[in-house]
Amino acid sequence: MAGAPNNSETTQYPDLVIVGAGLFGLTVAQQAVEHTGARVRIIDIRDHIGGNAYSYFDEETGAEIHKYGAHLFHTSNKRVWDYVNRFTSFTNYVHRVYATHDGEVYPLPINLGTINQFFHAHYTPAEAQKLIAGQAGELAGTDPQNLNDKGIQLIGRPLYEAFIKNYTGKQWQTDPAELPASIVKRLPVRFNYDNRYFKDTWEGLPADGYTKWMERMIDDPRITVSLGVDFFDESQPYNKEALKAAGVPVVYTGPVDRYFGYELGDLKWRTVDFKEVRYDEGDHFGCPVMNFSDADVPYTRAIEFKNFNPERRERQNPDKTVVWEEYSRFAERGDEPYYPINTDADKALYARYEAKAAAEPNTVFGGRLGTYKYYDMHQVIDTALTAYEEQVAPLLKK
C-alpha cells in the first residue's frame, strides 16, 4: 500500500479518489472497478484500512481485537448479505449480552428471564406484561419530555432504575432527567425467554477476521491504497484543492464539518475510550460483552474478545485473556467520533452542511462521518451500494 507522492504537478490522477478506507469507501471502490474498470486511489489518514471495523490479532492471547470496539455483523438485507459473502464466510456467532447489577448477572435485552430473576418470581408472559404496565405509575399515559420519565413510562421504575438509568447516565455523562426523551423512543422488553440481541435474518462474524475480509474487497491492481495521507494536507497531491482543480471525482467519508473547515460550527459526537486489562486466566467473564448497569462502576461495559470466537479455541492461549473496559464521553476535535448526538440543534446544523455538500461539484459524501448518521455495518454497505449506483457511476461516465 503506497504512500502518496508529493508533487501534484506531475501526478497522473486516477479516475476516482476515495477519502477514507472504511466500509463505505471500500465498497464504492470495489463497485467502481468491477463495473467500469476505473482506476481508483483510496487515501486514509490512519495506518490501516477498514475504518472502525478494523481488527488485529493479539499475540499473547490469540484474540481478534476490534480496535474501535465490538463490531458484530447482522442484517436482514439480502442484497447486503449476498454482497459480503463474496468476500468472506461467517461464523455462526449469535450475539447475547449480559448485565451486572447489584452483584448479580442478568440477561439482556430485558426479557422474561430478566424479569423473573429480578423479581424472584415465575411470571407468565401475560402476568409480566401486566406487571410492567402497572409499574409506570403516575407517568402512564403521559408525554414525558425527559429521558428519565420516558424510561419509567416505558418499562416501569424498578427495571428502568436497575438496567437503564445509570448505564445511560454513564453513556451521556449527564443525569437522564436532563436528557431529552427523544433519545430513547422505545426500550425493548421481550415477554419470552429469547435473549438474542439482534432479530436479523443473518448474523455472524467474518471467519478469518474483519481485516482479511476488507483486504479481499480491494484485491485488484486497479485499486491503490495510500495510508497516513491527510486529504487536507496540500503538500501531497491527493488533497482537496488539487483534486478539485483537476476535476477528479471524489468520494468523501470524513467528517462533513471538517470538509467545510467547520465554517458553520462543529457537529457534536460522543466518543469512546478503552482501558485494556489482561488476566492470567483463560476466560474472565464467560461471555463476549458484559454491561455494568450501576453508577459505582465507571465504565459502561467490558469486551472479552476471545469469547467472540469459540471456534478458534485451539489457536488461543488457554491461560490468558484480554478485556477492554469501555468509557463513554463527549468528543472534542481530534477525538474519534463514534455516535452523533443529534440534538435538534445538531440536526439543524447538519441540514445546512448537507445543503453545502449537495452543491459541491464532483463530490459524493458518505458513511457515518460524511452524513452525520449512526450506521451499523450492513447499513453502511447498503448506502454505499446505492451511492455508487446513483451518484458515483454517473460521475465516472462523464
Side-chain angles (χ1 to χ4, degrees):
M1 296 183 182
N6 58 12
N7 187 349
S8 59
E9 294 180 7
T10 60
T11 300
Q12 191 171 18
Y13 284 112
D15 302 307
L16 176 67
V17 170
I18 296 174
V19 182
L23 273 171
F24 190 97
L26 299 180
T27 301
V28 171
Q30 188 278 326
Q31 290 285 283
V33 166
E34 180 169 274
H35 294 292
T36 71
R39 292 172 302 114
V40 179
R41 169 82 60 166
I42 303 172
I43 67 171
D44 200 301
I45 197 166
R46 290 172 170 172
D47 62 358
H48 60 75
I49 68 166
N52 281 12
Y54 168 76
S55 69
Y56 62 92
F57 284 87
D58 178 63
E59 288 188 14
E60 182 183 46
T61 64
E64 181 184 353
I65 306 290
H66 304 183
K67 183 174 180 177
Y68 302 93
H71 276 68
L72 309 159
F73 194 83
H74 55 98
T75 187
S76 295
N77 184 323
K78 188 174 188 303
R79 173 172 79 154
V80 170
W81 183 243
D82 289 345
Y83 179 74
V84 298
N85 273 273
R86 293 176 54 189
F87 310 104
T88 184
S89 58
F90 287 84
T91 69
N92 60 3
Y93 175 78
V94 173
H95 192 47
R96 291 182 169 89
V97 174
Y98 296 86
T100 297
H101 164 63
D102 199 19
E104 195 168 343
V105 174
Y106 296 84
L108 291 181
I110 295 170
N111 60 69
L112 196 55
T114 321
I115 293 166
N116 279 331
Q117 182 180 348
F118 185 79
F119 292 107
H120 304 289
H122 52 91
Y123 294 117
T124 66
E127 290 169 341
Q129 283 181 281
K130 185 177 179 180
L131 172 77
I132 299 305
Q135 289 179 339
E138 72 280 5
L139 292 167
T142 64
D143 184 23
Q145 296 305 299
N146 69 71
L147 188 151
N148 192 74
D149 291 352
K150 184 69 172 177
I152 294 169
Q153 184 202 46
L154 287 171
I155 64 171
R157 187 180 298 275
L159 291 171
Y160 166 75
E161 292 188 344
F163 299 108
I164 308 298
K165 180 178 181 177
N166 293 316
Y167 188 90
T168 303
K170 289 188 287 186
Q171 275 189 311
W172 290 90
Q173 295 182 297
T174 305
D175 185 334
E178 298 174 15
L179 292 169
S182 59
I183 290 174
V184 56
K185 292 184 173 62
R186 64 187 186 90
L187 288 170
V189 176
R190 297 177 186 166
F191 295 101
N192 57 34
Y193 290 94
D194 178 12
N195 70 333
R196 272 189 62 177
Y197 198 78
F198 302 118
K199 291 186 172 182
D200 283 300
T201 307
W202 298 286
E203 178 178 359
L205 297 172
D208 49 3
Y210 279 101
T211 299
K212 286 289 187 187
W213 162 17
M214 291 179 233
E215 287 172 348
R216 290 189 198 106
M217 291 178 70
I218 54 170
D219 184 16
D220 189 291
R222 293 164 293 187
I223 298 174
T224 305
V225 180
S226 299
L227 299 174
V229 176
D230 184 352
F231 180 58
F232 302 100
D233 174 8
E234 294 187 9
S235 71
Q236 59 84 20
Y238 303 105
N239 69 75
K240 176 183 171 183
E241 298 308 321
L243 293 170
K244 190 179 290 189
V248 179
V250 169
V251 174
Y252 177 79
T253 69
V256 62
D257 51 0
R258 173 72 179 93
Y259 183 93
F260 294 106
Y262 304 105
E263 64 183 62
L264 302 176
D266 291 38
L267 291 164
K268 300 296 190 293
W269 296 79
R270 283 189 298 120
T271 190
V272 176
D273 297 317
F274 299 100
K275 178 184 175 185
E276 182 177 282
V277 184
R278 291 180 180 266
Y279 294 96
D280 293 327
E281 54 186 318
D283 191 352
H284 186 68
F285 285 114
C287 63
V289 177
M290 178 67 74
N291 285 9
F292 288 87
S293 303
D294 299 337
D296 60 352
V297 178
Y299 44 94
T300 54
R301 62 180 183 169
I303 305 164
E304 187 166 7
F305 293 102
K306 280 174 70 175
N307 289 330
F308 283 126
N309 298 100
E311 77 283 355
R312 297 178 185 159
R313 278 284 183 257
E314 292 183 0
R315 289 175 279 159
Q316 296 172 340
N317 186 336
D319 302 315
K320 302 278 187 179
T321 192
V322 57
V323 169
W324 280 19
E325 298 167 354
E326 187 172 307
Y327 299 78
S328 181
R329 62 180 172 84
F330 289 104
E332 300 174 2
R333 278 196 203 174
D335 288 329
E336 296 287 354
Y338 277 72
Y339 306 103
I341 290 178
N342 260 337
T343 62
D344 289 342
D346 287 308
K347 291 174 184 174
L349 178 58
Y350 172 64
R352 295 169 65 200
Y353 275 122
E354 186 178 28
K356 290 178 70 68
E360 194 73 0
N362 274 345
T363 306
V364 175
F365 291 76
R368 291 178 314 112
L369 304 180
T371 59
Y372 194 62
K373 289 183 177 67
Y374 178 74
Y375 287 124
D376 287 328
M377 286 181 285
H378 67 284
Q379 295 167 322
V380 172
I381 293 166
D382 190 47
T383 57
L385 291 170
T386 299
Y388 171 75
E389 294 168 357
E390 297 181 357
Q391 297 174 272
V392 179
L395 290 177
L396 295 174
K397 291 174 183 174
K398 285 185 179 179

